[in-house]
Amino acid sequence: MRPDANRLRTVDEHLAFVLAGIGTIDPIELTLLDAQGLLLAENVRADVPLPGYDNSAMDGYAVRAVDVRHASPEQPVVLPVIGDVAAGARSRSGMGPGLAMRIMTGAPIPAGADAVVRLEETDRGVARVAIRRPVRSGEDIRRAGEDIAAGAPALGAGAALGPQQIALLAALGRDRVLVRPRPRVLVISTGSELIDVGARPQFGEVTDANSYLLTASARDAGADARRYGIVADDHSALLDVLETQLLRADIIVTTGGVSQGAFDVVKQALSELGTVDFAQVAMSPGKPQGFGHLGDRVPIFCLPGNPVSALVSFEAFVRPAIRKLLGKRGLHRATVQAVALERMDSPAGMRQYRRGVLHREASGGYSVSLSGGTGSHLVASMASSNCLIVIDEEMTEVVAGSRVTVIPLLLANR
Ligand code: AMP
Ligand code: MG
């Protein structure tokens, strides 16, 4: 399972290792609007037919088709109107032969009528109505159960709940449904130099950006994500926080402290537990990666601390894991091919992720330019990018004018 520790692991190998360590979360019951964007975890049948009763498709007059079979603009058929039926009528009205009732869209068809004549085909009379056109039996009647019959399958387990599916569940009278829940993701920043937003950094202090970056990314990926905040580079402080937070998370994400430095406490403390694996992945940025499990098999990702490394690591490994827990079929973001507007180089044997600005050309294709340098500390240039440019392991250079693979970082629809 765990790839060979003595060589660089490829991005694909590490991703396969991570995904193999991601299980499932038990389904939960949610109200319809809380279930938006999630996948159904039950088969839903219609308890009631839709429509629930035969009703009028139009504003007009309920009639018997035989009574108006000779109607024409020159010789309209005139029928007495014995009353009105509006949407909301709670009891079924009835009418005899040779009569009409004025009827509104959605109102129940009176017993004795078998068609609706549209208002436009009449003189709109109140006591008597002149009808200028014959109708077929059944015309402009919406039949009970024609949309879905009682007992028929409505939505299957695995269906994604968008607005249309939520509308169907509501129409069927379901106010709660069993769904795959949003994974609870807890984000912890580690580093003794970190301070929380709101304070002005003194010399040697760095404001924690990563817990915001990763909480926002996790929410964007569909998770129910929360910032724990900052933990100093202190072995026991880290283990204490992890222990108390374990029960509240389906995934834990830490940043910082996974390199080779003397104070890389995350790597030291968690390596000792034996259930978290620290590897070197052939990617830039994001080479040091930790992944494993804590407590009752809660997955933990230990990402590097530089903000760009954290983002790239999240996109490469954490996002697909969140999508897997959500039950989504597509774990990966869509990519596009774009024409490189400038030359880009890349270390041999490493998959490089550069921040870029993707443009949509008038011709319909895409082009892409670099946003800032390769430094993984460059938060401002990351903020001016809208995509990641992926330069594969075997490529060392992208010449201007050639095509590259780009991952647009569009806001997902949760
Ligand atoms: P580390 O991976 O802990 O060695 O951190 C690498 C670099 O990223 C250092 O310059 C850190 O100060 C910076 N860094 C670590 N964590 C954060 C964070 N939460 N927000 C912003 N920068 C950070
Ligand atoms: Mg650190």
Side-chain angles (χ1 to χ4, degrees):
M1 171 75 46
R2 189 179 291 195
D4 181 357
N6 295 322
R7 67 173 175 85
L8 282 187
R9 195 181 282 184
T10 67
V11 174
D12 292 336
E13 285 168 345
H14 188 62
L15 179 61
F17 171 66
V18 163
L19 291 177
I22 300 293
T24 53
I25 314 176
D26 289 340
I28 56 167
E29 205 168 60
L30 290 180
T31 58
L32 290 189
L33 290 176
D34 286 339
Q36 182 173 0
L38 298 176
L39 300 192
L40 202 56
E42 60 172 320
N43 292 313
V44 175
R45 286 184 178 277
D47 281 344
V48 291
L50 291 180
Y53 48 87
D54 291 359
N55 67 82
S56 179
M58 288 301 214
D59 291 331
Y61 295 82
V63 297
R64 298 189 332 155
V66 287
D67 293 340
V68 297
R69 66 187 182 282
H70 299 307
S72 67
E74 300 73 34
Q75 287 194 301
V77 170
V78 178
L79 300 176
V81 179
I82 61 159
D84 288 341
V85 217
R90 290 293 191 273
S91 59
R92 189 157 188 218
S93 44
M95 51 176 247
L99 300 174
M101 289 189 81
R102 198 158 65 141
I103 193 164
M104 317 304 155
T105 303
I109 302 295
D114 68 352
V116 171
V117 180
R118 301 177 181 205
L119 216 51
E120 306 85 280
E121 307 291 348
T122 72
D123 67 352
R124 301 171 189 246
V126 177
R128 294 147 57 80
V129 62
I131 291 170
R132 302 190 202 102
R133 191 176 69 80
V135 282
R136 279 177 293 103
S137 176
E139 196 164 329
D140 279 325
I141 294 180
R142 304 157 163 174
R143 291 292 176 200
E146 73 176 17
D147 191 7
I148 188 165
L155 291 170
L161 298 180
Q164 310 91 306
Q165 293 72 32
I166 288 174
L168 173 58
L169 292 165
L172 292 173
R174 287 291 303 262
D175 59 342
R176 308 175 75 85
V177 278
L178 205 57
V179 290
R180 312 271 306 248
R182 298 192 183 282
R184 296 164 306 161
V185 173
L186 182 80
V187 180
I188 302 172
S189 286
T190 73
S192 294
E193 74 280 29
L194 300 178
I195 60 165
D196 214 338
V197 290
R200 208 178 166 78
Q202 304 297 308
F203 179 77
E205 293 181 337
V206 174
T207 305
D208 167 30
N210 290 355
S211 66
Y212 286 91
L213 168 74
L214 296 171
T215 304
S217 294
R219 288 184 181 174
D220 185 60
D224 174 9
R226 192 163 60 85
R227 290 179 60 242
Y228 171 81
I230 303 165
V231 180
D233 290 321
D234 176 290
H235 206 117
S236 58
L238 175 67
L239 292 179
D240 283 353
V241 168
L242 289 173
E243 195 173 328
T244 57
Q245 296 299 318
L246 262 182
L247 291 175
R248 305 182 194 167
D250 300 308
I251 291 182
I252 294 178
V253 180
T254 69
T255 68
V258 294
S259 314
Q260 318 283 353
F263 298 99
D264 283 326
V265 163
V266 174
K267 185 172 177 179
Q268 292 160 12
L270 297 185
S271 297
E272 287 168 18
L273 298 180
T275 56
V276 185
D277 170 59
F278 288 87
Q280 302 287 306
V281 178
M283 65 194 280
S284 169
K287 190 169 164 203
Q289 293 290 333
F291 175 75
H293 298 89
L294 294 181
D296 191 15
R297 281 193 66 79
V298 177
I300 179 167
F301 290 86
C302 303
L303 311 183
N306 274 305
V308 179
S309 313
L311 173 72
V312 168
S313 306
F314 180 93
E315 286 293 325
F317 306 118
V318 188
R319 194 173 199 282
I322 291 172
R323 309 282 297 172
K324 183 174 179 196
L325 282 178
L326 283 164
K328 301 278 184 190
R329 268 179 288 270
L331 302 186
H332 304 290
R333 287 193 189 263
T335 60
V336 299
Q337 296 294 310
V339 174
L341 293 177
E342 57 193 290
R343 180 182 176 281
M344 304 171 191
D345 50 21
S346 168
M350 306 281 270
R351 186 178 302 179
Q352 187 178 214
Y353 294 88
R354 299 286 299 263
R355 278 67 61 216
V357 180
L358 184 66
H359 315 266
R360 176 121 215 174
E361 299 293 326
S363 60
Y366 291 99
S367 64
V368 69
S369 53
L370 291 170
S371 164
T374 51
S376 54
H377 60 295
L378 302 171
V379 184
S381 72
M382 175 170 79
S384 59
S385 70
N386 64 1
C387 66
L388 294 175
I389 302 165
V390 186
I391 308 176
D392 274 342
E393 289 82 346
E394 62 277 10
M395 292 183 72
T396 52
E397 185 190 11
V398 174
V399 292
S402 64
R403 290 186 167 272
V404 276
T405 300
V406 173
I407 306 173
L409 296 182
L410 305 171
L411 284 181
N413 46 349
R414 275 167 57 91

